[in-house]
């Protein structure tokens, strides 16, 4: 028999006909990757799967018993239809096969097996058309249970049957067969976790855990194996994050002294006092910038807590040492807003000295050339821009600090490309999305985290109300009258829609936030910018108001012009997509109306309402929805209406998403980077694993005594495993 290790390619073991579908379906190419494809649940040959409530349109795998089979000639087309009914003892599910009468010899009443296919509905009856199936007697090459003695029959019927994540082309039992082939060929496995830690934590050796999670004889087998693999995943992840933080801290970098003339001038001209949280965050960052090693810090804070001011003070400290700072924003609208804010905050004298420039991809050629020259010569000590800052043509004279706003919107490759434009520059990442502690430990565990909770004095509160359009049509009608009242008082209104034009899908809504109960809602027409602008212009209460639309598909110059006019008060109602979600600052805007609010996630809704109440007027946020009471979508909206505490909402968000989708799916449709670990469920385990990993690195910083662990971390680094977490 061919022998294999965890790095062995699969095609030589399971054959190309199995290896290729595995690679396509699950991005699985090696023995180790296949063995990390853990069963999602376990069934028994004697235990049937409940058939009630199966989701129409989804691929399912069930354990059931054949109830009856009948074959008939089709009336409207040539051939025959074989229909078998399977049951869980109470409900039934139909299996239909066209011109495959021979299956009646397999599907005998009373036989049990695993059935897989896509659920559809026909005349009120759930069915699977041409499903895959595997009957237990055939699969195990064992006689029917009735021919065994009582003890053997009981053991046969109660042995756990693993049910794997599967697709139509790669059903669960095909995955299981491939895994059994691999386990039979597997050579002794080098366990990367030291014996001392395994003994202290009570976890199985790796080889035994892999065997028992895939081929358990009892429930205790797979439960113990899963728990061991859970700890391993948490420990290895936290070890990699801590190791990266340790290595980053040892790199040489240019110190940027705290004594900075630009910073002193800026602070002296501030017309207000910094909050306590801003002072503490600023002191921490200032001390790290003065070190001969690069800072890697995440600054998180509530909407409107003044993170940008803290970042600007850091940029001024770097400017005092002759260095440059680059501020990277995810959109042109936000980059332009940041640039205007920086120039305004600096005042004419400091702005003239530091010469901040804006660089985006859609700037006129002459402006772009001037900005590039100012950055390359060092004349511009602050550069604000989008992805355009990362372009190969952009060179810095002395890049000392990178500020990444809404850093989770950038891939690691983009951040790294900007970092390479300096000599180990300091990095300050910012996010206005409050992060639960377990998420911070898992996604950003290689960064030091500073939190700003305190809001600047004078910030007005924001009242938030759910507006259920179906249950309370009168309240829905009142929304536009309320907006007209605000405009009559001289204030301005945002209206946010999830789509740009009729027939389009969401423009920036967080699809991963949407639960399974929202499939029907996703099919109905969405409120969109184009139709909403036309509707509002036709309403008599807005006859004298200037109304404009804004979305990400517009040319950059047009978007910037509209935002400038809105900020200047020339536009009273701005109808937009989530392009205004972060960073946009219009103090006179007092009201935020979100149409189809159920199409957005908690963090987006919290960000959106943070656009109002930024000046002397209290904010009002109205969340219009047709989501039913009791649905996950409605729970999100009710949670937003109940509290303005972003950190409390982050915990609610984590709880509602349950399966760790807040973290587990990489950008651009990538697959989960976590296997068993779920931050919503395993917070204590993650924190404990971090302590164990930290203690090991304290004893053995270079992992010289654990070479297998060192190799594992290096392989994870090469595959970009940690970056996928932070991009989620």
């Amino acid at each position: 028999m061919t022998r294999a290790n965890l790095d062995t390619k699969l095609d030589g073991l399971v054959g190309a006909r199995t290896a290729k579908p595995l690679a396509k379906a699950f991005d699985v190419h090696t023995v180790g990757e296949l063995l990390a494809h853990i069963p999602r649940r376990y069934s028994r040959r004697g235990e049937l799967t409940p058939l009630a409530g199966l989701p129409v349109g989804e691929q399912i795998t069930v354990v059931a018993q054949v109830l009856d089979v009948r074959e008939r000639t089709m009336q409207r087309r040539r051939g025959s239809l074989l229909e078998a009914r399977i049951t869980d003892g109470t409900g039934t599910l139909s299996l239909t096969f066209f011109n495959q009468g021979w299956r009646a010899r397999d599907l005998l009443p009373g036989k049990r097996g695993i059935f897989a296919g896509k659920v559809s509905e026909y005349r009120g009856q759930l069915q699977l058309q041409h499903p895959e199936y595997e009957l237990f007697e055939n699969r195990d090459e064992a006689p029917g249970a009735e021919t065994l003695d009582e003890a053997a029959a009981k053991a046969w019927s109660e042995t756990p049957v693993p049910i794997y994540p599967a697709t139509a082309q790669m059903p669960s039992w095909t995955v299981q067969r491939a895994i059994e082939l691999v386990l039979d060929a597997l050579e002794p496995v080098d366990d990367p976790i030291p014996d001392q830690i395994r003994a202290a934590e009570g976890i199985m050796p790796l080889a035994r855990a892999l065997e028992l999670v895939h081929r358990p004889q009892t429930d205790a087998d797979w439960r113990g194996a899963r728990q061991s693999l859970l700890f391993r995943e948490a420990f290895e992840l936290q070890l990699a994050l801590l190791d990266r933080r340790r290595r980053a801290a040892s790199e040489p970098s240019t110190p940027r002294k705290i004594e900075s003339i630009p910073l002193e001038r800026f602070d002296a001209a501030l017309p207000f006092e910094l909050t306590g949280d801003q002072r503490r965050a600023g002191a921490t960052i200032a001390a790290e910038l003065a070190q001969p090693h690069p800072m890697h810090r995440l600054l998180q804070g509530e909407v409107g807590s003044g993170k940008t001011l803290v970042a600007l003070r850091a940029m001024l400290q770097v400017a005092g040492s002759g260095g440059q700072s680059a501020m990277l924003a995810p959109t042109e609208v936000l980059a332009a807003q940041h640039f205007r804010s920086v120039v305004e905050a600096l005042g004419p004298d400091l702005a003239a000295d530091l010469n901040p420039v804006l660089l985006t991809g859609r700037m006129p050629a002459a402006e772009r050339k001037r900005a590039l020259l100012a950055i390359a010569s060092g004349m511009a000590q602050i550069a604000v821009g989008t992805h355009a800052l990362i372009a190969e043509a952009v060179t810095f004279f002395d890049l000392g600090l990178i500020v990444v706003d809404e850093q989770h919107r950038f891939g690691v490759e983009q951040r790294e490309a900007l970092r390479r434009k300096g000599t180990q520059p300091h990095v300050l990442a910012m996010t206005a999305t409050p992060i639960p502690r377990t998420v911070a430990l898992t996604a950003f565990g290689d960064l030091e985290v500073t939190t700003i909770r305190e809001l600047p004095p004078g910030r007005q509160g924001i009242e938030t109300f759910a507006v259920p359009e179906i249950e309370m049509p009168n309240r829905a009608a009142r929304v536009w009258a309320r907006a007209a009242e605000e405009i009559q008082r001289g204030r301005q209104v945002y209206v946010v829609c999830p789509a740009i034009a009729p027939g389009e899908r969401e423009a920036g809504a967080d699809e991963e936030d949407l639960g399974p109960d929202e499939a029907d809602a996703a099919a109905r027409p969405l409120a969109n910018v184009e139709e909403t602008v036309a509707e509002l212009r036709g309403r008599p209460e807005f006859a004298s108001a200037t109304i404009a639309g804004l979305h990400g598909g517009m040319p950059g110059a047009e978007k910037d012009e509209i935002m400038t006019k809105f900020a200047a008060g020339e536009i009273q109602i701005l109808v937009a997509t989530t392009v205004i979600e972060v960073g946009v600052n219009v103090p006179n805007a007092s009201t935020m109306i979100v149409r189809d609010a159920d199409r957005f996630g908690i963090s987006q809704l919290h960000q959106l309402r943070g656009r109002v109440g930024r000046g002397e007027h209290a904010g009002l946020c109205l969340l219009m929805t047709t989501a039913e009471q009791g649905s996950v979508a409605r729970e999100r909206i009710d949670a937003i209406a109940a509290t303005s505490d972003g950190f409390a909402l982050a915990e609610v968000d984590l709880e509602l998403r349950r399966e760790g989708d807040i973290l587990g799916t990489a950008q651009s449709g990538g697959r989960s980077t976590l296997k068993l670990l779920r931050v919503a469920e395993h917070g204590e385990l993650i924190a404990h694993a971090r302590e164990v990993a930290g203690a090991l690195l304290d004893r053995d910083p270079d992992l010289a005594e654990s070479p297998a662990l060192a190799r594992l971390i290096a392989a994870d680094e090469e595959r970009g495993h940690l970056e996928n977490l932070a991009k989620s």
Side-chain angles (χ1 to χ4, degrees), residues 392-411:
E392 195 173 330
V394 181
T395 58
F396 285 82
F397 183 78
D398 178 17
L399 181 58
L401 172 65
I402 298 168
V403 178
V404 184
D405 192 22
E406 292 302 306
Q407 77 94 36
H408 57 282
R409 298 193 180 197
F410 294 95

Side-chain angles (χ1 to χ4, degrees), residues 560-576:
D560 200 35
E561 180 184 3
I562 290 171
M563 275 311 306
T564 301
K565 286 183 176 179
F566 187 64
E570 297 173 30
I571 294 170
Q572 281 73 53
I573 302 178
L574 183 65
V575 183

Side-chain angles (χ1 to χ4, degrees), residues 103 204 210 333 384 400 524 548 669 690 704:
R103 292 188 183 275
M204 297 178 184
L210 292 173
V333 168
V384 181
R524 62 175 168 75
R690 191 173 184 84

Side-chain angles (χ1 to χ4, degrees), residues 221-478:
D221 286 347
W222 66 259
R223 287 188 177 122
R226 278 181 69 95
Q227 195 59 37
S228 292
L229 293 172
L230 255 176
F231 175 82
R232 287 175 180 277
E233 185 174 11
F235 171 77
E236 290 166 8
L237 173 60
Q238 294 302 324
L239 186 71
L241 288 165
L242 289 171
D243 177 67
R244 174 183 280 196
R245 178 189 288 188
R246 180 185 58 79
R247 285 186 286 110
S250 67
E251 295 284 350
S253 183
T254 303
R256 308 292 175 174
K257 294 182 180 180
I258 297 175
E259 297 80 14
S260 165
I261 294 173
L263 179 57
E264 290 172 2
R265 288 168 58 192
F266 179 78
D267 285 347
L270 276 178
F272 51 80
E273 288 286 325
L274 297 174
T275 66
D277 279 359
Q278 285 176 320
R279 284 196 302 272
R280 283 185 286 273
T284 299
I285 292 168
E288 289 191 345
L289 290 175
Q291 297 300 312
H293 306 292
M295 173 182 72
H296 289 84
R297 183 163 290 278
L298 174 68
L299 179 63
Q300 67 166 339
E302 279 283 17
V303 176
S305 60
K307 296 179 301 298
T308 306
L309 179 63
V310 172
L312 179 56
R313 294 182 74 251
M315 290 190 272
L316 291 171
Q317 181 174 330
V318 172
S321 70
Q324 295 170 290
S325 296
M327 188 174 195
L328 187 62
T331 67
E332 290 190 350
V333 168
L334 186 51
Q337 174 75 42
H338 276 318
F339 178 69
R340 285 193 295 269
S341 298
V342 165
V343 172
E344 184 180 331
L346 290 176
D349 292 341
L350 264 178
D353 290 346
L354 301 180
N355 189 28
V357 296
L358 175 67
L359 187 67
T360 67
R362 300 186 187 183
M363 290 174 64
E367 286 183 36
R368 180 179 174 81
K369 186 175 181 180
R370 283 196 297 271
L372 288 171
L373 286 172
I375 293 170
S377 66
M379 292 295 293
Q381 290 188 277
I382 296 176
V384 181
T386 58
H387 300 74
L389 284 172
I390 301 167
E392 195 173 330
V394 181
T395 58
F396 285 82
F397 183 78
D398 178 17
L399 181 58
L401 172 65
I402 298 168
V403 178
V404 184
D405 192 22
E406 292 302 306
Q407 77 94 36
H408 57 282
R409 298 193 180 197
F410 294 95
V412 68
E413 299 86 1
Q414 295 163 324
R415 299 195 299 271
E416 182 63 19
L418 184 54
R419 198 180 66 82
R420 285 196 298 266
K421 293 181 182 292
T423 305
Q424 294 297 336
H426 302 277
V427 177
L428 178 65
M430 299 196 302
T431 179
T433 304
I435 302 168
R437 179 171 179 265
T438 51
V439 177
L441 285 179
T442 307
F444 306 109
D446 59 331
L447 301 175
E448 299 285 352
V449 180
T450 294
T451 299
I452 299 179
R453 288 178 176 266
E454 192 178 356
L455 295 180
R459 280 297 299 267
Q460 302 299 313
I462 304 171
E463 283 191 299
T464 304
F465 298 96
V467 183
E469 298 179 60
I470 295 174
E471 298 159 43
M472 299 181 179
N474 291 339
R475 183 183 286 189
R478 170 83 177 122

Side-chain angles (χ1 to χ4, degrees), residues 3 15 46 94 101 125 132 158 183 239 251 275 286 291 382 401 462 485 512 581 669 671:
R3 305 304 293 171
S94 291
Q125 170 70 44
E132 298 280 347
E158 293 188 356
L183 286 172
L239 186 71
E251 295 284 350
T275 66
Q291 297 300 312
I382 296 176
L401 172 65
I462 304 171
E485 290 167 8
E512 71 270 20
E581 179 184 346
R671 295 179 177 85

Side-chain angles (χ1 to χ4, degrees), residues 193-194 196-198 200-201 203 231 234-236 238-239 242 684-699 703 709:
I193 295 186
Q196 180 183 355
I197 291 177
R198 287 209 313 273
E201 299 301 322
I203 64 170
F231 175 82
F235 171 77
E236 290 166 8
Q238 294 302 324
L239 186 71
L242 289 171
E684 290 184 11
L685 176 64
I686 290 168
H688 174 66
R690 191 173 184 84
E691 291 175 4
V692 177
L696 175 61
L697 285 174
D698 287 343
R699 293 193 306 271
L703 298 177
L709 262 183

Side-chain angles (χ1 to χ4, degrees), residues 479-607:
V479 165
W480 304 118
R482 189 71 181 82
E485 290 167 8
E486 288 297 301
I487 291 170
Q488 287 168 7
R489 293 175 181 140
R491 299 166 197 169
Q492 293 162 275
V493 175
Y494 291 104
V495 179
V496 175
C497 301
I500 295 171
E504 292 188 354
R505 298 183 63 190
E506 292 96 323
D510 276 345
E511 290 188 10
E512 71 270 20
D513 287 348
L514 305 178
D517 62 345
E518 295 157 283
D520 292 338
R524 62 175 168 75
L526 293 167
N528 62 82
V529 172
E530 290 183 4
E531 289 182 330
T532 299
V533 168
E535 177 189 342
L536 297 185
R537 284 176 177 164
R539 283 182 169 269
E541 60 262 56
F542 300 131
S544 61
T546 303
I547 302 169
L550 179 73
H551 57 78
M554 290 177 164
E558 186 179 354
K559 285 187 292 189
D560 200 35
E561 180 184 3
I562 290 171
M563 275 311 306
T564 301
K565 286 183 176 179
F566 187 64
E570 297 173 30
I571 294 170
Q572 281 73 53
I573 302 178
L574 183 65
V575 183
T577 60
T578 53
V579 71
I580 54 99
E581 179 184 346
V582 290
V584 175
N585 184 31
V586 181
N588 192 49
S590 62
T591 303
M592 167 70 64
I593 297 168
V594 184
R595 306 193 76 180
D596 284 332
D598 45 281
R599 300 307 297 168
F600 301 96
I602 282 180
S603 63
Q604 276 193 311
L605 291 174
H606 183 57
Q607 291 289 333

